Amino acid sequence: MCGRYVSTRSPEDLTGLFAAAPPAPGLVLPPSWNVAPTDPVWAVLERADRESGVLERQLRPLRWGLVPSWSKSPDGGARMINARVETVGEKPAYRRAFAKRRCLLPADGFYEWESVPATAGAKAYKQPYFISPQDGSVMAMAGLYEFWRDPSVPDPDDPAAWWSTCTVITTEATDAAGRVHPRMPLALAPADYDAWLDPAHEDPYALRALLTTPAAGRLEARAVSTAVNNVRNNGPELLADAADTP
């Protein structure tokens, strides 16, 4: 699974990396070394401009934890942070978004945990690992997004009337990630960005072909500070090697 990740690149960097239009003025997300469920996250997606109808690649914030459009409430969103690649095209919660609303969720890397048993002198604990591309490149995690209408807001033109949410697609873990946890986020190659983001591309078989085994030997995993275990902690110190932290 993917339950926490790192996203520190600026909007300027992300718009350049993904050839996307910048976010609307005033939409600013601070860098985060401990992105957690329900946090706002940067997403790259393609939608038609409301006035011109021209398809535009955008960088915009979404809330992590997908709320299907047909949900009666947003309460289940925090549990829908991941969608399994094996069933994403069939599950009712994800099927419509898989066909029409796909996105990329940029990340520096993600965290997974390994249980360390108790010893005579120490309690059991969970050791976090930071898993990231060896070359420091951005991870473009495959995602889906949805819009949910909040019935408690009467005016449909009020921005608060709509929730924009997302989920990360996961797959079987490979390489270094597989030694820590059996699942991992599925990152797309740059050559597949256009096909994945194109909302007119609705062939489920062709879309599945884009979701192949990620990374191909280019991930590294290293033990980092257990401070990341607390979602209230956030800062570059979370990526310090475990051996260098108290």
Side-chain angles (χ1 to χ4, degrees):
M1 64 174 293
C2 176
R4 219 81 69 73
Y5 68 92
V6 177
S7 179
T8 65
R9 287 175 168 84
S10 68
E12 294 77 17
D13 288 343
L14 294 175
T15 54
L17 286 167
F18 293 96
L27 289 180
V28 178
L29 298 182
S32 178
W33 289 264
N34 204 355
V35 178
T38 74
D39 283 351
V41 298
W42 286 124
V44 178
L45 52 90
E46 291 188 356
R47 291 188 65 80
D49 180 81
R50 283 189 175 184
E51 296 182 2
S52 67
V54 175
L55 194 66
E56 181 182 57
R57 182 170 298 182
Q58 308 169 0
L59 179 69
R60 60 191 295 175
L62 302 176
R63 186 178 188 269
W64 187 20
L66 190 131
V67 179
S69 60
W70 41 260
S71 293
K72 294 183 178 179
S73 82
D75 296 343
R79 297 189 300 273
M80 298 180 67
I81 60 171
N82 293 160
R84 295 175 66 94
V85 68
E86 295 87 351
T87 56
V88 68
E90 291 80 39
K91 291 270 188 178
Y94 306 120
R95 185 170 54 219
R96 189 180 300 175
F98 182 66
K100 293 181 176 294
R101 286 179 287 278
R102 299 176 298 276
C103 63
L104 296 171
L105 301 168
D108 302 354
F110 62 99
Y111 296 107
E112 289 296 355
W113 282 260
E114 185 176 62
S115 296
V116 178
T119 64
K123 296 180 179 179
Y125 68 99
K126 288 187 177 294
Q127 174 60 57
Y129 285 79
F130 180 59
I131 302 169
S132 61
Q134 291 176 352
D135 61 3
S137 60
V138 67
M139 285 189 74
M141 301 188 298
L144 308 175
Y145 69 97
E146 270 288 11
F147 297 107
W148 182 77
R149 173 71 170 93
D150 186 346
S152 69
V153 182
D155 183 0
D157 293 326
D158 185 335
W162 295 92
W163 288 45
S164 303
T165 63
C166 64
T167 189
V168 176
I169 297 177
T170 65
T171 187
E172 290 186 6
T174 60
D175 311 313
R179 296 194 291 273
V180 182
H181 193 276
R183 304 290 298 181
M184 66 177 285
L186 202 159
L188 266 66
D192 294 328
Y193 292 173
D194 291 351
W196 178 251
L197 293 175
D198 183 359
H201 188 185
E202 298 184 23
D203 182 341
Y205 300 102
L207 290 169
R208 281 189 174 280
L210 300 175
L211 302 176
T212 55
T213 302
R218 297 189 298 274
L219 290 177
E220 64 179 10
R222 59 184 180 85
V224 295
S225 169
T226 54
V228 74
N229 295 356
N230 187 331
V231 295
R232 291 189 294 272
N233 295 329
N234 203 324
E237 67 276 4
L238 299 184
L239 296 183
D241 288 343
D244 299 333
T245 58

